[in-house]
Amino acid sequence: MPTIFTKIVNGEIPCYKIAEDDRFFAFLDINPLAKGHTLVIPKQETDYLFDLDDQLLADMNVFAKKIAVAQKKVIPCKRVGVAVLGLEVPHAHIHLIPMNSEADVNFSNPKLKLASEEFEEIAGLIRTEL
Ligand code: 5GP
């Protein structure tokens, strides 16, 4: 049974796509902690991030860096925070969260409710900087 993220990669479930290459995929988190909150995943299905092959993990971070640099240009924030939880979806992923304070990356915070047009606009803005 493919993971929900594999279904997103395959276009079976819609997403607000940020970027893709042959091994990685990035898209907006549907329950964002902040505007621009993005998930970066390997296309290869592996549950736990640190079970990834060393080279794939290293390259995934380089892929994530490009997204973070683009996020920082278009989303007003001090930094882009990086988080790895993986408690909900068993498909390795890195959260990239634009933040102004430590409190912004508290996963117990209520999630933002954004209209589809806002997600589209944010994704489009980030894509313009890639
Ligand atoms: P974690 O596994 O790191 O604890 O959390 C999984 C993250 O994936 C959550 O932030 C959740 O909002 C996000 N997520 C779960 N299902 C979907 C989905 O179908 N689409 C998108 N874009 N994000 C999802």
Side-chain angles (χ1 to χ4, degrees):
M1 175 92 174
T3 67
I4 195 158
F5 288 172
T6 293
K7 290 183 179 175
I8 286 175
V9 170
N10 293 338
E12 294 161 35
I13 292 178
C15 75
Y16 302 97
K17 182 169 150 182
I18 302 293
E20 173 179 19
D21 69 9
D22 55 329
R23 290 178 299 161
F24 307 110
F25 195 95
F27 55 103
L28 293 181
D29 193 305
I30 205 66
N31 299 304
L33 280 171
K35 285 188 180 180
H37 181 166
T38 295
L39 301 174
V40 175
I41 66 168
K43 289 184 175 176
Q44 173 193 306
E45 268 192 11
T46 298
D47 177 358
Y48 185 45
L49 187 79
F50 298 120
D51 283 336
L52 291 176
D53 164 88
D54 287 356
Q55 193 61 57
L56 194 67
L57 179 59
D59 294 348
M60 183 171 165
N61 276 282
V62 174
F63 183 87
K65 176 182 172 182
K66 291 179 198 143
I67 311 292
V69 168
Q71 285 172 301
K72 182 84 170 48
K73 286 183 182 160
V74 295
I75 311 277
C77 63
K78 279 193 180 155
R79 287 176 182 250
V80 173
V82 178
V84 174
L85 284 82
L87 295 172
E88 185 188 322
V89 179
H91 185 141
H93 52 281
I94 296 172
H95 294 258
L96 296 176
I97 308 163
M99 55 181 269
N100 290 299
S101 73
E102 188 181 317
D104 294 340
V105 289
N106 180 349
F107 278 77
S108 300
N109 286 347
K111 308 302 183 293
L112 299 184
K113 298 281 176 220
L114 302 179
S116 145
E117 297 74 26
E118 286 179 281
F119 277 112
E120 288 287 6
E121 187 191 349
I122 294 163
L125 278 172
I126 298 171
R127 285 196 302 264
T128 59
E129 295 297 335
L130 288 171

